[in-house]
Amino acid sequence: MRRHGAALALALAAGLLPLAAGAAPQTAAANGAACRDGIATFVTGTREVSFSVEIADTPDERRIGLMNRRSLRPGTGMLFVFQEARPQSFWMKNTLIPLDLLYMDASGVVRHIHRKARPMDLTPLPGAAPGDTDPDRLMVLEIGGGEAARLDIAPGAILRHPRLPQDKAEAPCR
C-alpha cells in the first residue's frame, strides 16, 4: 500500500502536524495546509481542521485500508478515493482499533458519519443514513474513533481536497 511518507515527513518538518500523541489537529489557517494530497481539511462552521492522510485510491489499497494497525495517531487518517461517486459500505474486518468513518459526496460535503466503529466487526457500515435520497459517495475518511465528535465534525462539514472535482467542490482548493 502506498504510504505518503514524503508528504508526512514534509508536513512534520514544516510543523503542520502535531508531534505529541494526543495533540489535536491544527487549524488550516494556522498550518497553511489549504490543499495538498496528503492533507484533508474540513471546514466546520467558522474554523478549519486538518488531518494528515494516507491516500487509498487503488482497489488493493482500499481493500487493506487500516487493517491490522494497532494504533492511529490523532490528527491522522486514511482517505479512500473512488473513481466515481456511488453507494459505499465498509466493515471492520481485521481492523484492530475503533474508527470514525466520514462519508463525503462528490462536492466534499460530509453526508454521513459512522462513529466509533467496532474493531473486528463484520457488520456493513453504509455511507448513507436511512432515507438519504442521494447515497452516492466519492470519498471516505477513516480517523480514530471519537475524533469527529471531539473536533465537532458533523454531517454538513465540507472537505477541501485536491482529489475532489474542483468545479463541483463546495470548498475548492485555493
Side-chain angles (χ1 to χ4, degrees):
M1 180 185 305
R2 181 175 53 188
R3 306 277 184 236
H4 290 276
L8 181 59
L10 178 62
L12 284 169
L16 300 179
L17 298 176
L19 295 176
Q26 299 176 7
T27 64
N31 68 22
C35 216
R36 297 183 188 155
D37 207 36
I39 304 291
T41 300
F42 287 90
V43 179
T44 62
T46 60
R47 68 186 190 116
E48 296 183 2
V49 178
S50 294
F51 294 88
S52 174
V53 295
E54 297 174 46
I55 303 292
D57 60 0
T58 69
D60 282 343
E61 290 170 342
R62 291 189 297 257
R63 181 181 54 77
I64 295 169
L66 291 174
M67 286 183 184
N68 301 311
R69 306 258 184 118
R70 297 200 182 279
S71 64
L72 184 64
R73 288 182 39 174
T76 66
M78 182 171 282
L79 184 64
F80 294 76
V81 180
F82 297 92
Q83 298 301 319
E84 62 185 44
R86 64 179 189 259
Q88 300 295 337
S89 185
F90 281 43
W91 63 0
M92 297 290 287
K93 181 180 181 180
N94 297 325
T95 305
L96 307 175
I97 53 178
L99 298 173
D100 287 348
L101 288 80
L102 290 70
Y103 295 89
M104 281 77 61
D105 64 19
S107 66
V109 174
V110 176
R111 297 289 303 267
H112 184 63
I113 299 176
H114 187 90
R115 299 175 191 276
K116 295 185 181 179
R118 291 179 303 199
M120 307 297 285
D121 190 355
L122 298 181
T123 304
L125 306 172
D132 188 331
T133 59
D134 184 10
D136 293 342
R137 305 296 176 251
L138 183 64
M139 297 183 177
V140 179
L141 177 66
E142 292 182 341
I143 57 177
E147 285 286 283
R150 185 176 71 79
L151 297 167
D152 291 325
I153 300 172
I158 300 168
L159 173 67
R160 177 179 294 123
H161 195 271
R163 299 271 188 123
L164 287 168
Q166 295 299 294
D167 61 332
K168 295 179 183 177
E170 288 288 328
C173 292
R174 300 180 213 159

